[in-house]
mmCIF file of all heavy atoms in Angstrom:
data_model
loop_
_atom_site.group_PDB
_atom_site.id
_atom_site.type_symbol
_atom_site.label_atom_id
_atom_site.label_comp_id
_atom_site.label_asym_id
_atom_site.label_seq_id
_atom_site.Cartn_x
_atom_site.Cartn_y
_atom_site.Cartn_z
ATOM 1 N N ARG A 299 -9.633 -10.796 -11.755
ATOM 2 C CA ARG A 299 -11.091 -10.602 -11.706
ATOM 3 C C ARG A 299 -11.438 -9.263 -11.065
ATOM 4 O O ARG A 299 -12.286 -8.512 -11.579
ATOM 5 C CB ARG A 299 -11.714 -11.748 -10.916
ATOM 6 C CG ARG A 299 -13.212 -11.617 -10.699
ATOM 7 C CD ARG A 299 -13.716 -12.760 -9.822
ATOM 8 N NE ARG A 299 -15.096 -12.570 -9.445
ATOM 9 C CZ ARG A 299 -15.729 -13.364 -8.585
ATOM 10 N NH1 ARG A 299 -15.096 -14.389 -8.044
ATOM 11 N NH2 ARG A 299 -16.983 -13.130 -8.268
ATOM 12 N N MET A 300 -10.756 -8.925 -9.959
ATOM 13 C CA MET A 300 -11.060 -7.666 -9.288
ATOM 14 C C MET A 300 -10.537 -6.473 -10.081
ATOM 15 O O MET A 300 -11.169 -5.413 -10.105
ATOM 16 C CB MET A 300 -10.476 -7.667 -7.873
ATOM 17 C CG MET A 300 -10.825 -6.421 -7.077
ATOM 18 S SD MET A 300 -10.520 -6.576 -5.312
ATOM 19 C CE MET A 300 -11.913 -7.586 -4.815
ATOM 20 N N ILE A 301 -9.383 -6.629 -10.748
ATOM 21 C CA ILE A 301 -8.865 -5.552 -11.596
ATOM 22 C C ILE A 301 -9.879 -5.217 -12.680
ATOM 23 O O ILE A 301 -10.184 -4.051 -12.950
ATOM 24 C CB ILE A 301 -7.515 -5.953 -12.224
ATOM 25 C CG1 ILE A 301 -6.425 -6.016 -11.147
ATOM 26 C CG2 ILE A 301 -7.115 -4.954 -13.307
ATOM 27 C CD1 ILE A 301 -5.091 -6.518 -11.667
ATOM 28 N N LYS A 302 -10.404 -6.256 -13.309
ATOM 29 C CA LYS A 302 -11.379 -6.047 -14.382
ATOM 30 C C LYS A 302 -12.628 -5.366 -13.859
ATOM 31 O O LYS A 302 -13.186 -4.471 -14.499
ATOM 32 C CB LYS A 302 -11.731 -7.398 -15.016
ATOM 33 C CG LYS A 302 -12.520 -7.290 -16.302
ATOM 34 C CD LYS A 302 -12.663 -8.653 -16.963
ATOM 35 C CE LYS A 302 -13.399 -8.538 -18.295
ATOM 36 N NZ LYS A 302 -13.506 -9.852 -18.969
ATOM 37 N N SER A 303 -13.057 -5.772 -12.670
ATOM 38 C CA SER A 303 -14.252 -5.162 -12.077
ATOM 39 C C SER A 303 -14.012 -3.697 -11.724
ATOM 40 O O SER A 303 -14.829 -2.825 -12.047
ATOM 41 C CB SER A 303 -14.665 -5.947 -10.827
ATOM 42 O OG SER A 303 -15.739 -5.315 -10.170
ATOM 43 N N LEU A 304 -12.882 -3.419 -11.062
ATOM 44 C CA LEU A 304 -12.579 -2.044 -10.676
ATOM 45 C C LEU A 304 -12.331 -1.167 -11.897
ATOM 46 O O LEU A 304 -12.668 0.015 -11.901
ATOM 47 C CB LEU A 304 -11.355 -2.013 -9.758
ATOM 48 C CG LEU A 304 -11.549 -2.558 -8.346
ATOM 49 C CD1 LEU A 304 -10.223 -2.562 -7.597
ATOM 50 C CD2 LEU A 304 -12.575 -1.742 -7.577
ATOM 51 N N ALA A 305 -11.711 -1.743 -12.936
ATOM 52 C CA ALA A 305 -11.402 -0.962 -14.124
ATOM 53 C C ALA A 305 -12.666 -0.406 -14.767
ATOM 54 O O ALA A 305 -12.640 0.671 -15.376
ATOM 55 C CB ALA A 305 -10.634 -1.815 -15.131
ATOM 56 N N GLN A 306 -13.781 -1.120 -14.637
ATOM 57 C CA GLN A 306 -15.035 -0.620 -15.194
ATOM 58 C C GLN A 306 -15.472 0.648 -14.468
ATOM 59 O O GLN A 306 -16.010 1.578 -15.077
ATOM 60 C CB GLN A 306 -16.114 -1.692 -15.081
ATOM 61 C CG GLN A 306 -15.829 -2.913 -15.943
ATOM 62 C CD GLN A 306 -16.845 -4.036 -15.733
ATOM 63 O OE1 GLN A 306 -17.740 -3.912 -14.896
ATOM 64 N NE2 GLN A 306 -16.703 -5.118 -16.474
ATOM 65 N N ASP A 307 -15.214 0.686 -13.146
ATOM 66 C CA ASP A 307 -15.539 1.900 -12.390
ATOM 67 C C ASP A 307 -14.602 3.038 -12.748
ATOM 68 O O ASP A 307 -14.963 4.211 -12.644
ATOM 69 C CB ASP A 307 -15.444 1.618 -10.886
ATOM 70 C CG ASP A 307 -16.479 0.605 -10.423
ATOM 71 O OD1 ASP A 307 -17.527 0.493 -11.079
ATOM 72 O OD2 ASP A 307 -16.219 -0.083 -9.414
ATOM 73 N N TYR A 308 -13.368 2.691 -13.141
ATOM 74 C CA TYR A 308 -12.366 3.712 -13.429
ATOM 75 C C TYR A 308 -12.300 4.056 -14.921
ATOM 76 O O TYR A 308 -11.477 4.880 -15.326
ATOM 77 C CB TYR A 308 -10.978 3.232 -12.997
ATOM 78 C CG TYR A 308 -10.823 3.002 -11.514
ATOM 79 C CD1 TYR A 308 -9.796 2.212 -11.022
ATOM 80 C CD2 TYR A 308 -11.695 3.580 -10.598
ATOM 81 C CE1 TYR A 308 -9.642 1.987 -9.668
ATOM 82 C CE2 TYR A 308 -11.559 3.362 -9.244
ATOM 83 C CZ TYR A 308 -10.533 2.565 -8.785
ATOM 84 O OH TYR A 308 -10.377 2.343 -7.445
ATOM 85 N N SER A 309 -13.140 3.421 -15.742
ATOM 86 C CA SER A 309 -13.021 3.585 -17.179
ATOM 87 C C SER A 309 -13.275 5.017 -17.627
ATOM 88 O O SER A 309 -12.822 5.429 -18.690
ATOM 89 C CB SER A 309 -13.990 2.636 -17.896
ATOM 90 O OG SER A 309 -15.330 2.908 -17.505
ATOM 91 N N SER A 310 -14.021 5.779 -16.825
ATOM 92 C CA SER A 310 -14.314 7.160 -17.197
ATOM 93 C C SER A 310 -13.242 8.138 -16.736
ATOM 94 O O SER A 310 -13.330 9.327 -17.030
ATOM 95 C CB SER A 310 -15.664 7.580 -16.587
ATOM 96 O OG SER A 310 -15.612 7.524 -15.173
ATOM 97 N N LEU A 311 -12.216 7.641 -16.039
ATOM 98 C CA LEU A 311 -11.211 8.549 -15.500
ATOM 99 C C LEU A 311 -10.319 9.131 -16.588
ATOM 100 O O LEU A 311 -10.033 10.314 -16.611
ATOM 101 C CB LEU A 311 -10.347 7.832 -14.463
ATOM 102 C CG LEU A 311 -11.027 7.359 -13.182
ATOM 103 C CD1 LEU A 311 -9.997 6.780 -12.236
ATOM 104 C CD2 LEU A 311 -11.747 8.503 -12.511
ATOM 105 N N GLY A 312 -9.813 8.276 -17.469
ATOM 106 C CA GLY A 312 -8.828 8.727 -18.434
ATOM 107 C C GLY A 312 -7.466 8.820 -17.781
ATOM 108 O O GLY A 312 -7.326 8.760 -16.551
ATOM 109 N N PRO A 313 -6.409 8.996 -18.576
ATOM 110 C CA PRO A 313 -5.053 8.988 -18.011
ATOM 111 C C PRO A 313 -4.766 10.149 -17.074
ATOM 112 O O PRO A 313 -4.041 10.001 -16.093
ATOM 113 C CB PRO A 313 -4.158 9.037 -19.256
ATOM 114 C CG PRO A 313 -5.025 9.564 -20.348
ATOM 115 C CD PRO A 313 -6.406 9.099 -20.034
ATOM 116 N N ARG A 314 -5.344 11.330 -17.336
ATOM 117 C CA ARG A 314 -5.023 12.497 -16.506
ATOM 118 C C ARG A 314 -5.591 12.352 -15.101
ATOM 119 O O ARG A 314 -4.894 12.597 -14.107
ATOM 120 C CB ARG A 314 -5.545 13.766 -17.187
ATOM 121 C CG ARG A 314 -4.805 14.101 -18.474
ATOM 122 C CD ARG A 314 -5.555 15.134 -19.306
ATOM 123 N NE ARG A 314 -4.868 15.400 -20.559
ATOM 124 C CZ ARG A 314 -4.964 14.619 -21.642
ATOM 125 N NH1 ARG A 314 -5.740 13.539 -21.616
ATOM 126 N NH2 ARG A 314 -4.316 14.931 -22.748
ATOM 127 N N ARG A 315 -6.866 11.979 -15.004
ATOM 128 C CA ARG A 315 -7.452 11.790 -13.676
ATOM 129 C C ARG A 315 -6.826 10.602 -12.969
ATOM 130 O O ARG A 315 -6.683 10.605 -11.740
ATOM 131 C CB ARG A 315 -8.969 11.589 -13.796
ATOM 132 C CG ARG A 315 -9.757 12.893 -13.890
ATOM 133 C CD ARG A 315 -11.244 12.617 -13.864
ATOM 134 N NE ARG A 315 -11.651 11.959 -12.635
ATOM 135 C CZ ARG A 315 -12.845 11.383 -12.461
ATOM 136 N NH1 ARG A 315 -13.720 11.389 -13.448
ATOM 137 N NH2 ARG A 315 -13.143 10.811 -11.318
ATOM 138 N N SER A 316 -6.434 9.579 -13.719
ATOM 139 C CA SER A 316 -5.772 8.433 -13.108
ATOM 140 C C SER A 316 -4.428 8.834 -12.525
ATOM 141 O O SER A 316 -4.061 8.423 -11.419
ATOM 142 C CB SER A 316 -5.594 7.318 -14.141
ATOM 143 O OG SER A 316 -6.841 6.840 -14.589
ATOM 144 N N ILE A 317 -3.678 9.650 -13.262
ATOM 145 C CA ILE A 317 -2.402 10.164 -12.745
ATOM 146 C C ILE A 317 -2.648 10.995 -11.495
ATOM 147 O O ILE A 317 -1.925 10.881 -10.497
ATOM 148 C CB ILE A 317 -1.682 10.997 -13.829
ATOM 149 C CG1 ILE A 317 -1.173 10.070 -14.943
ATOM 150 C CG2 ILE A 317 -0.534 11.796 -13.228
ATOM 151 C CD1 ILE A 317 -0.626 10.810 -16.152
ATOM 152 N N SER A 318 -3.700 11.819 -11.523
ATOM 153 C CA SER A 318 -4.034 12.656 -10.350
ATOM 154 C C SER A 318 -4.327 11.805 -9.133
ATOM 155 O O SER A 318 -4.042 12.223 -7.995
ATOM 156 C CB SER A 318 -5.260 13.529 -10.672
ATOM 157 O OG SER A 318 -5.034 14.333 -11.800
ATOM 158 N N ALA A 319 -4.898 10.622 -9.336
ATOM 159 C CA ALA A 319 -5.228 9.743 -8.218
ATOM 160 C C ALA A 319 -4.028 8.949 -7.733
ATOM 161 O O ALA A 319 -3.875 8.700 -6.526
ATOM 162 C CB ALA A 319 -6.355 8.792 -8.622
ATOM 163 N N LEU A 320 -3.150 8.528 -8.645
ATOM 164 C CA LEU A 320 -2.044 7.654 -8.261
ATOM 165 C C LEU A 320 -0.892 8.398 -7.605
ATOM 166 O O LEU A 320 -0.174 7.819 -6.791
ATOM 167 C CB LEU A 320 -1.538 6.889 -9.491
ATOM 168 C CG LEU A 320 -2.481 5.804 -10.026
ATOM 169 C CD1 LEU A 320 -1.887 5.138 -11.253
ATOM 170 C CD2 LEU A 320 -2.776 4.756 -8.959
ATOM 171 N N VAL A 321 -0.690 9.668 -7.937
ATOM 172 C CA VAL A 321 0.410 10.425 -7.301
ATOM 173 C C VAL A 321 0.206 10.502 -5.784
ATOM 174 O O VAL A 321 1.111 10.135 -5.017
ATOM 175 C CB VAL A 321 0.538 11.829 -7.926
ATOM 176 C CG1 VAL A 321 1.463 12.702 -7.080
ATOM 177 C CG2 VAL A 321 1.098 11.732 -9.339
#
Side-chain angles (χ1 to χ4, degrees):
R299 176 184 172 186
M300 184 165 284
I301 291 175
K302 191 172 183 178
S303 175
L304 289 175
Q306 294 175 357
D307 295 334
Y308 296 161
S309 60
S310 62
L311 295 185
R314 292 165 183 81
R315 276 186 61 193
S316 297
I317 290 172
S318 303
L320 289 179
V321 168

